[in-house]
Amino acid sequence: MKFLISLILIGSIVAKDIPTHEPQMKNKLHIDFENYIPTTSGKINIIFYVDRQGKVVNPIISDTFDIKLNNTIIDAVKRLEFVPAKQNGTNVIVKYNLPIVVQ
C-alpha cells in the first residue's frame, strides 16, 4: 500500500513538469529562394529551442534532401516568433521539431 501511494505521489510530481501548453507560432514561415531555386521536392527537419521570450534559439538541420537549402531554411526559421510555452503559469524553454516540405 505504501508503495502504491509513493507511485501516485511521484506521478503527480512528474506531471507538474509537463508544459501546460506548447509554443504557438505568431508569424508564418516565409522562405525566400532568391539565390537558389530547388529543382526537386522533399522534406527538411529542423530542431531548435523556443526561449522564454518566444525567440528561436540554436536552429539545427537534422535531415535534409538538398544541402544547398540549409542556410536559407535556418535564416527563415530564425525570423519566426512564438508565444512561449508555459509550465505552472511561467514561460519555459522547450525543444521544437519543425518539418518543412518543399514542393
Side-chain angles (χ1 to χ4, degrees):
M1 186 68 162
K2 289 180 184 179
F3 180 72
L4 181 61
I5 292 173
S6 297
L7 284 178
I8 293 171
L9 289 174
I10 290 171
S12 66
I13 291 170
V14 171
K16 289 182 181 179
D17 292 335
I18 299 172
T20 55
H21 75 81
E22 296 297 318
Q24 301 295 316
M25 279 191 209
K26 286 184 179 179
N27 54 343
K28 291 185 178 183
L29 179 66
H30 175 74
I31 302 170
D32 187 12
F33 296 113
E34 62 185 41
N35 296 329
Y36 175 75
I37 298 174
T39 56
T40 60
S41 61
K43 187 167 109 175
I44 298 172
N45 284 322
I46 186 162
I47 299 170
F48 55 90
Y49 290 90
V50 177
D51 70 7
R52 290 182 175 107
Q53 290 76 36
K55 303 290 183 194
V56 172
V57 179
N58 196 24
I60 298 170
I61 302 285
S62 65
D63 187 28
T64 185
F65 73 97
D66 190 344
I67 196 166
K68 295 176 186 173
L69 292 175
N70 288 2
N71 289 335
T72 304
I73 297 291
I74 286 175
D75 290 340
V77 168
K78 283 182 179 178
R79 290 191 298 267
L80 287 175
E81 294 180 12
F82 287 82
V83 175
K86 290 191 181 281
Q87 177 181 353
N88 298 329
T90 306
N91 292 353
V92 293
I93 300 170
V94 293
K95 191 174 188 178
Y96 200 89
N97 181 29
L98 182 64
I100 299 170
V101 177
V102 178
Q103 296 180 343

